[in-house]
Amino acid sequence: MTAQHVDSTDLWAGLPALDEPPAPVWEDPVPLAGPRKLAPFPTASLPGWLREFVAAVAEETQTPVDLAGCIALSVLATAAGGRAVVQVRGHWREPTNLYVVVSLPPANRKSAVFGLLTDPLYEAEQQLRTLTQPAIVEAEMTARLAKEAADKATAKAASASADERDELVSTAIALAQTAESVSVPAKPQLLADDTTAETVTSRMAEQGGRISVMSAEGDIFDIIAGRYSGKPNMGVFLKGHAGDRLKVDRQTREEYIEHPALTMGLCVQPQVLDDIGRQDGFKGRGLLGRFLYSVPESLVGRRKIEPDPIPEQVMETYRRHVLDLTLFLAEWTDPALIQLTPEAVAALKAFQARVEPMLEARGGIMGQIGDWGGKLVGATARMAALLHLAEHLTKGHMVPVAEATMRDAIALAEYFISHSLAAFDLMGADRIVERARTVLEVLHNHGWREVSKRDLMVKLSRSEFRTANDLDPVLALLEDHGYMRAQAVQRTGGRGRPPSPRYLIHPRLTDPTA
């Protein structure tokens, strides 16, 4: 019997085909965040007299209304900071000072806007000085006379005979103690400009715990970073926002402020924000999370040649109201307590419930700036109190904040969410997204369907990814957005380096039609 050759393919002809692993099912990836869509400044949230002036300033100076609107909030905070607090609920109270910074390129007439908005504050400062001048002169004269009397008594005791000395020494001590107890009030000051951390502390101590730094330049950030001291000096700026007890005990001076209230209204160039993001001294200290940021679009190149001037009545009303509010609150030693209506409390709680998921580290729109987002509800309560005071001027402490005012403050908070996200992009808080785009480009260029973390590190720039740990948050972000999937690591049980994590890559990266 002759052997017959049988083709091996025939042996399998009648058998069922073995199942192959199913191809993974991919959903469309979620695009990485692109350029931020910036919210317009909600001028309708401001009280009528303030809204009209802000709009008129923006028109005459041909600047974004955001600039005048944000500085207007700083003006209100200068008037009320340290002189009013808002009762949120329970033991939660917020002071009414704010940190606000606007980012605009050069040639945007920032100084002109600052001048128009802050002029009434300087006028109020001068009026306060005029009012307190007689008391200051009297105290200075009393102090000088008391010191002269103490000096004469000391000289007399020094030259006295032994039997007279004890009595004269006692008299000299009493007069010296009297001279020491005479306090000369400081000249009232509301505003400071180019100043150091030390002078800010001293000014607050002199001014009953409050001062405002208003500037159309960003020099204050250089000063905080250590222009003069060589190292960051943030203590007063951290505690001055929160109202935490501040004590300075050095060889040259001793100062104590129970409830410091520092307000800052600044306008900086975009480059300043980028520089801040590159300075390690600002990271992780919490200062950047205290500012409300605005990054409006410049109007340079699209400005009117003959804009409408500010109506005289609008300007005079603004001047009078800022003066009235500032001078009225300047008389308060214990802060005026601003209450909320139950409806305003409910509106703030509902806003807090919306904000909380936004702070989720993975997936929340404010996950990368949780320090900032965590302070947003408190900032909203502060803004509600300021809007309320601007509405009621000298009677704000007599009526509670209405729900409508709280909703206006929430509209401002939503505006600041949009702009602060963009500002932190400029400061590098969202550099993970930039790095993710770099990784996507590498994956696309190499056409990988699967890659290990180790192989990916070989292809990436070590200047951007110094260690494998730098890659972890980027890969986590790309997984969250559906661009890749981590595979289970198969361990062999042997010694040596563990297997590098491997990732399946979305086919869309190599084939747009997939």
Side-chain angles (χ1 to χ4, degrees):
M1 188 175 184
T2 7
Q4 243 181 342
H5 173 73
V6 180
D7 193 321
S8 61
T9 56
D10 294 337
L11 295 175
W12 301 97
L15 297 177
L18 295 175
D19 290 337
E20 295 183 1
V25 177
W26 294 88
E27 296 180 356
D28 290 342
V30 178
L32 297 174
R36 303 284 183 184
K37 183 178 181 181
L38 298 175
F41 187 85
T43 51
S45 295
L46 303 176
W49 63 271
L50 190 56
R51 177 170 64 246
E52 289 182 5
F53 186 70
V54 162
V57 168
E59 167 65 21
E60 179 173 298
T61 60
Q62 286 297 286
T63 53
V65 71
D66 314 54
L67 176 57
C70 289
I71 301 308
L73 291 175
S74 298
V75 168
L76 295 179
T78 300
R83 298 296 183 266
V85 297
V86 54
Q87 175 72 40
V88 183
R89 57 178 179 267
H91 292 91
W92 181 7
R93 290 184 177 182
E94 288 284 342
T96 50
N97 54 305
L98 292 176
Y99 289 7
V100 183
V101 59
V102 183
S103 172
L104 271 173
N108 268 280
R109 300 168 179 165
K110 299 183 286 289
S111 296
V113 175
F114 265 82
L116 289 165
L117 268 296
T118 59
D119 278 350
L121 291 175
Y122 285 104
E123 185 177 348
E125 183 178 279
Q126 187 56 50
Q127 287 194 26
L128 288 170
R129 290 187 174 189
T130 301
L131 290 171
T132 58
Q133 185 64 19
I136 292 174
V137 171
E138 181 180 348
E140 288 175 341
M141 178 64 70
T142 301
R144 185 163 64 250
L145 292 174
K147 187 176 186 306
E148 288 176 357
D151 290 344
K152 287 179 181 179
T154 301
K156 189 175 182 180
S159 60
S161 59
D163 58 334
E164 295 178 322
R165 184 169 300 160
D166 288 346
E167 183 179 350
L168 291 176
V169 167
S170 296
T171 300
I173 291 173
L175 290 172
Q177 289 174 337
T178 300
E180 188 69 24
S181 67
V182 176
S183 176
V184 179
K187 290 182 179 180
Q189 183 176 354
L190 298 174
L191 296 155
D193 190 345
D194 187 11
T195 185
T196 65
E198 289 75 15
T199 54
V200 166
T201 305
S202 296
R203 294 293 172 270
M204 279 200 294
E206 294 170 357
Q207 302 300 319
R210 71 158 172 178
I211 199 68
S212 179
V213 177
M214 304 279 281
S215 175
E217 304 296 335
D219 290 352
I220 188 66
F221 286 111
D222 289 337
I223 294 168
I224 295 171
R227 174 194 289 175
Y228 301 119
S229 63
K231 60 182 180 180
N233 190 348
M234 298 185 186
V236 63
F237 300 100
L238 296 173
K239 294 183 177 182
H241 179 272
D244 295 336
R245 189 177 291 110
L246 179 62
K247 184 176 182 180
V248 177
D249 190 4
R250 297 175 183 165
Q251 290 183 348
T252 55
R253 72 185 195 279
E254 181 177 336
E255 294 166 330
Y256 177 78
I257 308 172
E258 182 70 26
H259 298 293
L262 175 62
T263 287
M264 287 205 275
L266 310 172
C267 190
V268 304
Q269 296 183 20
Q271 182 61 44
V272 172
L273 294 184
D274 184 63
D275 292 344
I276 291 171
R278 298 178 188 278
Q279 293 186 37
D280 292 336
F282 281 100
K283 296 176 181 177
R285 297 291 302 277
L287 178 63
L288 300 181
R290 285 162 163 75
F291 281 90
L292 298 172
Y293 297 89
S294 173
V295 286
E297 183 180 356
S298 171
L299 298 182
V300 174
R302 297 179 286 118
R303 295 177 290 191
K304 293 181 184 177
I305 304 304
E306 293 187 11
D308 297 331
I310 301 171
E312 287 297 327
Q313 184 58 44
V314 170
M315 179 173 283
E316 177 57 26
T317 300
Y318 173 78
R319 170 189 166 276
R320 188 176 66 254
H321 286 348
V322 172
L323 274 174
D324 288 347
L325 180 61
T326 306
L327 295 176
F328 171 71
L329 288 173
E331 299 177 359
W332 289 74
T333 50
D334 292 333
L337 183 61
I338 309 300
Q339 302 279 359
L340 305 180
T341 61
E343 294 79 10
V345 171
L348 186 62
K349 282 184 179 179
F351 179 60
Q352 187 174 9
R354 285 197 287 123
V355 166
E356 192 63 25
M358 300 180 191
L359 305 177
E360 185 69 36
R362 294 183 67 173
I365 65 169
M366 292 191 286
Q368 297 292 330
I369 56 170
D371 177 50
W372 184 89
K375 297 177 178 64
L376 181 60
V377 176
T380 305
R382 297 185 187 202
M383 289 189 288
L386 293 174
L387 296 177
H388 175 78
L389 288 169
E391 185 70 37
H392 297 279
L393 297 174
T394 60
K395 299 179 180 178
H397 63 293
M398 300 171 63
V399 292
V401 176
E403 179 185 5
T405 303
M406 182 60 73
R407 295 201 179 280
D408 288 336
I410 290 170
L412 285 166
E414 290 170 339
Y415 163 85
F416 283 119
I417 290 175
S418 164
H419 284 249
S420 295
L421 285 168
F424 276 98
D425 285 351
L426 288 173
M427 291 186 287
D430 212 10
R431 294 199 194 281
I432 293 175
V433 174
E434 296 177 19
R435 292 177 174 180
R437 291 195 181 98
T438 299
V439 171
L440 286 179
E441 185 177 357
V442 169
L443 294 174
H444 172 74
N445 290 341
H446 287 81
W448 287 317
R449 293 300 182 98
E450 184 178 332
V451 68
S452 71
K453 181 179 174 182
R454 188 173 296 129
D455 290 340
L456 193 52
M457 280 295 295
V458 171
K459 300 297 182 182
L460 292 169
S461 167
R462 284 305 173 95
S463 64
E464 192 170 8
F465 297 89
R466 295 181 182 178
T467 69
N469 290 336
D470 293 332
L471 189 54
D472 288 338
V474 173
L475 296 179
L477 180 67
L478 292 176
E479 274 197 89
D480 285 344
H481 284 68
Y483 286 99
M484 55 171 45
R485 293 177 184 169
Q487 295 182 286
V489 176
Q490 302 294 328
R491 299 190 177 275
T492 61
R495 295 182 179 180
R497 180 188 293 182
S500 176
R502 299 191 66 81
Y503 295 85
L504 293 176
I505 309 303
H506 198 298
R508 184 75 56 81
L509 288 179
T510 53
D511 182 3
T513 63

